[in-house]
Amino acid sequence: MDTQAAVKLLASIAQEARLEIFRLLVQAGPNGLPAGAIADTLAIPASTLSFHLKELVHAGLANQQPQGRFIYYAANYQAMNGLMAFLTENCCQGQACTPDTACCNEKEPS
Amino acid sequence: MDTQAAVKLLASIAQEARLEIFRLLVQAGPNGLPAGAIADTLAIPASTLSFHLKELVHAGLANQQPQGRFIYYAANYQAMNGLMAFLTENCCQGQACTPDTACCNEKEPS
DNA sequence: TCTATATTTCCATAAATATAGAAATGATGT
DNA sequence: ACATCATTTCTATATTTATGGAAATATAGA
């Protein structure tokens, strides 16, 4: 993963409607949900939802799968995990990075 | 953390220059770097960098600390960790979520 | 084929965001 | 106080992104 790829993933969820859609999909599990159910749950007009779903799919954070008349959307957990790994990559110059070292996992000052 | 707060954090790194700045800070460790060093390393004009640093600080992903004539910027690891927790919250409706269940941690199909 | 339902594309408009030069502010040492 | 260096604010412009109605497309059952 490079910076541009990560920006693409981040931008796809850096928007209120899309973040809500994505979290709904994360919570829905691997089977996902049809677009209409997402629209109903989040009260988003169809064309607006379609625009946002396309963004998520293009970024790679969601997958699309037609099933009969419905199109199911599901979160791509691998892409999400890859993104999170990228964000903390080489954290603190590779120095030990545990709760004790006040680094990446630093706790509230006490 | 709510959706709007998460969007604020995500938007602050969903931009190429800012993501590079943030990762540089993550890798620099808790002491951070002065603005000028960031500008030099990433070849970003001062005013542009200042704009982006303000975004990161306002979002809460970076902290600012004056030291003499320099202003040091450091990554806020807690905010980052909080964001990552939010993104996977209630994953798969709370069902078991291990490598075996083809859920959040699902592996490549084999 | 006709009808109903699901979803997407088209389109125009509105709003938010990024860029960087120039000028202003702030801090330090002399 | 002055000169110098670090950083920010101001400003204008360019670019990207979001919104949702209306029309188009696709699927399936009667």
Side-chain angles (χ1 to χ4, degrees):
Chain A
M1 168 134 25
D2 62 2
T3 305
Q4 293 192 356
V7 165
K8 206 169 141 194
L9 293 177
L10 288 166
S12 76
I13 47 173
Q15 204 280 341
E16 194 162 352
R18 284 198 299 271
L19 181 54
E20 284 179 348
I21 295 166
F22 178 72
R23 297 222 320 144
L24 185 62
L25 295 180
V26 164
Q27 292 170 17
N31 289 338
L33 295 169
I38 302 171
D40 291 348
T41 304
L42 301 178
I44 297 174
S47 66
T48 301
L49 177 66
S50 186
F51 168 79
H52 288 309
L53 285 173
K54 182 160 55 163
E55 296 285 309
L56 287 171
V57 170
H58 279 178
L61 273 183
N63 303 123
Q64 199 179 30
Q65 186 175 7
Q67 251 180 69
R69 291 204 281 195
F70 302 90
I71 298 183
Y72 276 75
Y73 287 88
N76 181 338
Y77 298 101
Q78 286 180 247
M80 185 77 241
N81 289 337
L83 174 62
M84 301 209 279
F86 178 78
L87 292 175
T88 52
E89 197 175 283
N90 293 124
C91 175
C92 305
Q93 310 163 68
Q95 290 164 23
C97 194
T98 65
D100 297 273
T101 56
C103 178
C104 309
N105 299 298
E106 70 184 339
K107 298 288 186 245
E108 293 282 355
S110 55
Chain B
M1 168 133 26
D2 63 3
T3 305
Q4 294 193 354
V7 165
K8 205 169 143 194
L9 293 177
L10 288 165
S12 77
I13 48 174
Q15 204 278 342
E16 194 162 352
R18 284 200 298 272
L19 181 54
E20 285 179 346
I21 295 166
F22 178 71
R23 295 222 321 144
L24 185 62
L25 294 180
V26 163
Q27 292 171 16
N31 290 337
L33 295 169
I38 302 171
D40 291 348
T41 304
L42 301 179
I44 299 174
S47 66
T48 301
L49 176 66
S50 186
F51 168 80
H52 288 308
L53 284 174
K54 183 160 55 165
E55 297 285 310
L56 286 171
V57 170
H58 279 177
L61 273 183
N63 303 123
Q64 200 179 31
Q65 186 176 8
Q67 252 180 67
R69 291 205 282 196
F70 304 89
I71 298 182
Y72 276 75
Y73 287 88
N76 182 339
Y77 297 101
Q78 286 180 249
M80 186 75 240
N81 289 337
L83 174 62
M84 301 209 279
F86 178 78
L87 292 174
T88 51
E89 197 175 284
N90 294 123
C91 174
C92 305
Q93 309 164 73
Q95 289 162 23
C97 193
T98 67
D100 298 273
T101 56
C103 178
C104 309
N105 299 298
E106 69 185 338
K107 298 288 186 247
E108 292 283 357
S110 57

PDB file of all heavy atoms in Angstrom, chain B residues 61-83:
ATOM      1  N   LEU B  61      -5.394  14.829  15.564  1.00  0.00           N
ATOM      2  CA  LEU B  61      -4.458  13.741  15.259  1.00  0.00           C
ATOM      3  C   LEU B  61      -3.006  14.162  15.457  1.00  0.00           C
ATOM      4  O   LEU B  61      -2.103  13.336  15.408  1.00  0.00           O
ATOM      5  CB  LEU B  61      -4.649  13.235  13.826  1.00  0.00           C
ATOM      6  CG  LEU B  61      -5.696  12.150  13.660  1.00  0.00           C
ATOM      7  CD1 LEU B  61      -5.753  11.675  12.228  1.00  0.00           C
ATOM      8  CD2 LEU B  61      -5.391  10.968  14.578  1.00  0.00           C
ATOM      9  N   ALA B  62      -2.794  15.462  15.664  1.00  0.00           N
ATOM     10  CA  ALA B  62      -1.438  15.925  15.940  1.00  0.00           C
ATOM     11  C   ALA B  62      -1.488  16.934  17.072  1.00  0.00           C
ATOM     12  O   ALA B  62      -2.500  17.607  17.277  1.00  0.00           O
ATOM     13  CB  ALA B  62      -0.822  16.542  14.692  1.00  0.00           C
ATOM     14  N   ASN B  63      -0.386  16.993  17.810  1.00  0.00           N
ATOM     15  CA  ASN B  63      -0.264  17.985  18.878  1.00  0.00           C
ATOM     16  C   ASN B  63       0.834  18.953  18.506  1.00  0.00           C
ATOM     17  O   ASN B  63       1.763  18.598  17.793  1.00  0.00           O
ATOM     18  CB  ASN B  63       0.105  17.295  20.202  1.00  0.00           C
ATOM     19  CG  ASN B  63      -0.895  16.240  20.583  1.00  0.00           C
ATOM     20  OD1 ASN B  63      -0.544  15.090  20.768  1.00  0.00           O
ATOM     21  ND2 ASN B  63      -2.145  16.632  20.680  1.00  0.00           N
ATOM     22  N   GLN B  64       0.686  20.139  19.058  1.00  0.00           N
ATOM     23  CA  GLN B  64       1.564  21.253  18.746  1.00  0.00           C
ATOM     24  C   GLN B  64       2.242  21.675  20.033  1.00  0.00           C
ATOM     25  O   GLN B  64       1.569  21.833  21.039  1.00  0.00           O
ATOM     26  CB  GLN B  64       0.642  22.391  18.283  1.00  0.00           C
ATOM     27  CG  GLN B  64       1.260  23.465  17.483  1.00  0.00           C
ATOM     28  CD  GLN B  64       0.189  24.479  17.088  1.00  0.00           C
ATOM     29  OE1 GLN B  64      -0.769  24.689  17.815  1.00  0.00           O
ATOM     30  NE2 GLN B  64       0.376  25.114  15.949  1.00  0.00           N
ATOM     31  N   GLN B  65       3.573  21.842  19.988  1.00  0.00           N
ATOM     32  CA  GLN B  65       4.225  22.337  21.196  1.00  0.00           C
ATOM     33  C   GLN B  65       5.386  23.255  20.852  1.00  0.00           C
ATOM     34  O   GLN B  65       6.376  22.816  20.263  1.00  0.00           O
ATOM     35  CB  GLN B  65       4.716  21.171  22.055  1.00  0.00           C
ATOM     36  CG  GLN B  65       5.271  21.652  23.384  1.00  0.00           C
ATOM     37  CD  GLN B  65       5.654  20.497  24.270  1.00  0.00           C
ATOM     38  OE1 GLN B  65       5.642  19.350  23.850  1.00  0.00           O
ATOM     39  NE2 GLN B  65       6.011  20.794  25.516  1.00  0.00           N
ATOM     40  N   PRO B  66       5.286  24.537  21.212  1.00  0.00           N
ATOM     41  CA  PRO B  66       6.363  25.481  20.933  1.00  0.00           C
ATOM     42  C   PRO B  66       7.587  25.121  21.773  1.00  0.00           C
ATOM     43  O   PRO B  66       7.452  24.714  22.928  1.00  0.00           O
ATOM     44  CB  PRO B  66       5.794  26.831  21.401  1.00  0.00           C
ATOM     45  CG  PRO B  66       4.331  26.622  21.568  1.00  0.00           C
ATOM     46  CD  PRO B  66       4.156  25.178  21.915  1.00  0.00           C
ATOM     47  N   GLN B  67       8.741  25.242  21.159  1.00  0.00           N
ATOM     48  CA  GLN B  67      10.005  25.013  21.882  1.00  0.00           C
ATOM     49  C   GLN B  67      10.998  25.988  21.289  1.00  0.00           C
ATOM     50  O   GLN B  67      11.522  25.754  20.208  1.00  0.00           O
ATOM     51  CB  GLN B  67      10.485  23.581  21.688  1.00  0.00           C
ATOM     52  CG  GLN B  67      10.335  22.721  22.953  1.00  0.00           C
ATOM     53  CD  GLN B  67      10.812  21.288  22.749  1.00  0.00           C
ATOM     54  OE1 GLN B  67      11.993  21.054  22.557  1.00  0.00           O
ATOM     55  NE2 GLN B  67       9.886  20.345  22.767  1.00  0.00           N
ATOM     56  N   GLY B  68      11.210  27.070  21.992  1.00  0.00           N
ATOM     57  CA  GLY B  68      12.075  28.106  21.459  1.00  0.00           C
ATOM     58  C   GLY B  68      11.444  28.700  20.229  1.00  0.00           C
ATOM     59  O   GLY B  68      10.250  28.978  20.217  1.00  0.00           O
ATOM     60  N   ARG B  69      12.221  28.831  19.195  1.00  0.00           N
ATOM     61  CA  ARG B  69      11.672  29.407  17.972  1.00  0.00           C
ATOM     62  C   ARG B  69      10.928  28.394  17.123  1.00  0.00           C
ATOM     63  O   ARG B  69      10.319  28.732  16.130  1.00  0.00           O
ATOM     64  CB  ARG B  69      12.813  29.988  17.125  1.00  0.00           C
ATOM     65  CG  ARG B  69      13.429  31.198  17.747  1.00  0.00           C
ATOM     66  CD  ARG B  69      14.066  32.044  16.697  1.00  0.00           C
ATOM     67  NE  ARG B  69      15.357  31.498  16.271  1.00  0.00           N
ATOM     68  CZ  ARG B  69      16.249  32.215  15.590  1.00  0.00           C
ATOM     69  NH1 ARG B  69      15.980  33.478  15.281  1.00  0.00           N
ATOM     70  NH2 ARG B  69      17.387  31.692  15.218  1.00  0.00           N
ATOM     71  N   PHE B  70      11.032  27.133  17.517  1.00  0.00           N
ATOM     72  CA  PHE B  70      10.393  26.081  16.737  1.00  0.00           C
ATOM     73  C   PHE B  70       9.041  25.692  17.312  1.00  0.00           C
ATOM     74  O   PHE B  70       8.789  25.888  18.495  1.00  0.00           O
ATOM     75  CB  PHE B  70      11.293  24.839  16.702  1.00  0.00           C
ATOM     76  CG  PHE B  70      12.670  25.117  16.173  1.00  0.00           C
ATOM     77  CD1 PHE B  70      13.697  25.507  17.026  1.00  0.00           C
ATOM     78  CD2 PHE B  70      12.932  25.012  14.813  1.00  0.00           C
ATOM     79  CE1 PHE B  70      14.964  25.780  16.538  1.00  0.00           C
ATOM     80  CE2 PHE B  70      14.206  25.275  14.317  1.00  0.00           C
ATOM     81  CZ  PHE B  70      15.225  25.662  15.180  1.00  0.00           C
ATOM     82  N   ILE B  71       8.229  25.154  16.452  1.00  0.00           N
ATOM     83  CA  ILE B  71       6.987  24.574  16.950  1.00  0.00           C
ATOM     84  C   ILE B  71       7.024  23.104  16.559  1.00  0.00           C
ATOM     85  O   ILE B  71       7.091  22.766  15.382  1.00  0.00           O
ATOM     86  CB  ILE B  71       5.754  25.267  16.354  1.00  0.00           C
ATOM     87  CG1 ILE B  71       5.765  26.746  16.780  1.00  0.00           C
ATOM     88  CG2 ILE B  71       4.491  24.583  16.820  1.00  0.00           C
ATOM     89  CD1 ILE B  71       4.563  27.534  16.292  1.00  0.00           C
ATOM     90  N   TYR B  72       7.034  22.271  17.587  1.00  0.00           N
ATOM     91  CA  TYR B  72       7.101  20.833  17.349  1.00  0.00           C
ATOM     92  C   TYR B  72       5.711  20.256  17.175  1.00  0.00           C
ATOM     93  O   TYR B  72       4.785  20.585  17.899  1.00  0.00           O
ATOM     94  CB  TYR B  72       7.808  20.132  18.531  1.00  0.00           C
ATOM     95  CG  TYR B  72       9.304  20.160  18.400  1.00  0.00           C
ATOM     96  CD1 TYR B  72      10.019  21.329  18.657  1.00  0.00           C
ATOM     97  CD2 TYR B  72      10.011  19.030  17.988  1.00  0.00           C
ATOM     98  CE1 TYR B  72      11.402  21.380  18.520  1.00  0.00           C
ATOM     99  CE2 TYR B  72      11.397  19.064  17.848  1.00  0.00           C
ATOM    100  CZ  TYR B  72      12.075  20.239  18.105  1.00  0.00           C
ATOM    101  OH  TYR B  72      13.444  20.276  17.958  1.00  0.00           O
ATOM    102  N   TYR B  73       5.608  19.380  16.181  1.00  0.00           N
ATOM    103  CA  TYR B  73       4.361  18.663  15.947  1.00  0.00           C
ATOM    104  C   TYR B  73       4.587  17.183  16.173  1.00  0.00           C
ATOM    105  O   TYR B  73       5.603  16.623  15.731  1.00  0.00           O
ATOM    106  CB  TYR B  73       3.885  18.901  14.512  1.00  0.00           C
ATOM    107  CG  TYR B  73       3.339  20.293  14.324  1.00  0.00           C
ATOM    108  CD1 TYR B  73       4.184  21.344  13.972  1.00  0.00           C
ATOM    109  CD2 TYR B  73       1.995  20.571  14.533  1.00  0.00           C
ATOM    110  CE1 TYR B  73       3.688  22.639  13.825  1.00  0.00           C
ATOM    111  CE2 TYR B  73       1.496  21.862  14.384  1.00  0.00           C
ATOM    112  CZ  TYR B  73       2.345  22.882  14.030  1.00  0.00           C
ATOM    113  OH  TYR B  73       1.867  24.149  13.898  1.00  0.00           O
ATOM    114  N   ALA B  74       3.646  16.561  16.870  1.00  0.00           N
ATOM    115  CA  ALA B  74       3.766  15.121  17.133  1.00  0.00           C
ATOM    116  C   ALA B  74       2.428  14.440  16.876  1.00  0.00           C
ATOM    117  O   ALA B  74       1.362  15.050  17.032  1.00  0.00           O
ATOM    118  CB  ALA B  74       4.198  14.893  18.579  1.00  0.00           C
ATOM    119  N   ALA B  75       2.494  13.182  16.466  1.00  0.00           N
ATOM    120  CA  ALA B  75       1.279  12.402  16.246  1.00  0.00           C
ATOM    121  C   ALA B  75       0.581  12.149  17.574  1.00  0.00           C
ATOM    122  O   ALA B  75       1.235  11.947  18.599  1.00  0.00           O
ATOM    123  CB  ALA B  75       1.610  11.081  15.564  1.00  0.00           C
ATOM    124  N   ASN B  76      -0.738  12.142  17.550  1.00  0.00           N
ATOM    125  CA  ASN B  76      -1.517  11.776  18.724  1.00  0.00           C
ATOM    126  C   ASN B  76      -1.946  10.312  18.564  1.00  0.00           C
ATOM    127  O   ASN B  76      -2.936  10.013  17.906  1.00  0.00           O
ATOM    128  CB  ASN B  76      -2.732  12.691  18.842  1.00  0.00           C
ATOM    129  CG  ASN B  76      -3.556  12.388  20.074  1.00  0.00           C
ATOM    130  OD1 ASN B  76      -3.482  11.298  20.624  1.00  0.00           O
ATOM    131  ND2 ASN B  76      -4.342  13.351  20.506  1.00  0.00           N
ATOM    132  N   TYR B  77      -1.157   9.447  19.185  1.00  0.00           N
ATOM    133  CA  TYR B  77      -1.377   8.011  18.990  1.00  0.00           C
ATOM    134  C   TYR B  77      -2.708   7.554  19.577  1.00  0.00           C
ATOM    135  O   TYR B  77      -3.368   6.664  19.033  1.00  0.00           O
ATOM    136  CB  TYR B  77      -0.231   7.209  19.611  1.00  0.00           C
ATOM    137  CG  TYR B  77       1.103   7.489  18.967  1.00  0.00           C
ATOM    138  CD1 TYR B  77       2.017   8.335  19.572  1.00  0.00           C
ATOM    139  CD2 TYR B  77       1.437   6.928  17.743  1.00  0.00           C
ATOM    140  CE1 TYR B  77       3.239   8.613  18.976  1.00  0.00           C
ATOM    141  CE2 TYR B  77       2.647   7.198  17.140  1.00  0.00           C
ATOM    142  CZ  TYR B  77       3.555   8.044  17.765  1.00  0.00           C
ATOM    143  OH  TYR B  77       4.760   8.314  17.167  1.00  0.00           O
ATOM    144  N   GLN B  78      -3.098   8.171  20.678  1.00  0.00           N
ATOM    145  CA  GLN B  78      -4.372   7.776  21.289  1.00  0.00           C
ATOM    146  C   GLN B  78      -5.542   8.039  20.357  1.00  0.00           C
ATOM    147  O   GLN B  78      -6.449   7.212  20.234  1.00  0.00           O
ATOM    148  CB  GLN B  78      -4.581   8.561  22.579  1.00  0.00           C
ATOM    149  CG  GLN B  78      -3.706   8.091  23.715  1.00  0.00           C
ATOM    150  CD  GLN B  78      -3.982   8.934  24.963  1.00  0.00           C
ATOM    151  OE1 GLN B  78      -3.146   9.713  25.399  1.00  0.00           O
ATOM    152  NE2 GLN B  78      -5.186   8.776  25.499  1.00  0.00           N
ATOM    153  N   ALA B  79      -5.518   9.215  19.714  1.00  0.00           N
ATOM    154  CA  ALA B  79      -6.620   9.537  18.803  1.00  0.00           C
ATOM    155  C   ALA B  79      -6.688   8.523  17.670  1.00  0.00           C
ATOM    156  O   ALA B  79      -7.754   8.055  17.282  1.00  0.00           O
ATOM    157  CB  ALA B  79      -6.441  10.950  18.251  1.00  0.00           C
ATOM    158  N   MET B  80      -5.513   8.174  17.164  1.00  0.00           N
ATOM    159  CA  MET B  80      -5.443   7.193  16.080  1.00  0.00           C
ATOM    160  C   MET B  80      -6.005   5.855  16.535  1.00  0.00           C
ATOM    161  O   MET B  80      -6.804   5.228  15.826  1.00  0.00           O
ATOM    162  CB  MET B  80      -3.976   7.034  15.664  1.00  0.00           C
ATOM    163  CG  MET B  80      -3.785   6.157  14.464  1.00  0.00           C
ATOM    164  SD  MET B  80      -4.267   7.044  12.967  1.00  0.00           S
ATOM    165  CE  MET B  80      -5.565   6.001  12.373  1.00  0.00           C
ATOM    166  N   ASN B  81      -5.594   5.412  17.724  1.00  0.00           N
ATOM    167  CA  ASN B  81      -6.087   4.130  18.213  1.00  0.00           C
ATOM    168  C   ASN B  81      -7.593   4.160  18.434  1.00  0.00           C
ATOM    169  O   ASN B  81      -8.295   3.189  18.143  1.00  0.00           O
ATOM    170  CB  ASN B  81      -5.360   3.757  19.516  1.00  0.00           C
ATOM    171  CG  ASN B  81      -3.905   3.384  19.258  1.00  0.00           C
ATOM    172  OD1 ASN B  81      -3.548   2.996  18.147  1.00  0.00           O
ATOM    173  ND2 ASN B  81      -3.060   3.510  20.265  1.00  0.00           N
ATOM    174  N   GLY B  82      -8.083   5.289  18.922  1.00  0.00           N
ATOM    175  CA  GLY B  82      -9.520   5.429  19.124  1.00  0.00           C
ATOM    176  C   GLY B  82     -10.281   5.326  17.812  1.00  0.00           C
ATOM    177  O   GLY B  82     -11.329   4.683  17.725  1.00  0.00           O
ATOM    178  N   LEU B  83      -9.725   5.937  16.797  1.00  0.00           N
ATOM    179  CA  LEU B  83     -10.357   5.882  15.481  1.00  0.00           C
ATOM    180  C   LEU B  83     -10.422   4.456  14.965  1.00  0.00           C
ATOM    181  O   LEU B  83     -11.460   3.997  14.474  1.00  0.00           O
ATOM    182  CB  LEU B  83      -9.574   6.753  14.502  1.00  0.00           C
ATOM    183  CG  LEU B  83     -10.024   6.693  13.049  1.00  0.00           C
ATOM    184  CD1 LEU B  83     -11.462   7.177  12.900  1.00  0.00           C
ATOM    185  CD2 LEU B  83      -9.101   7.534  12.161  1.00  0.00           C
TER     186      LEU B  83
END
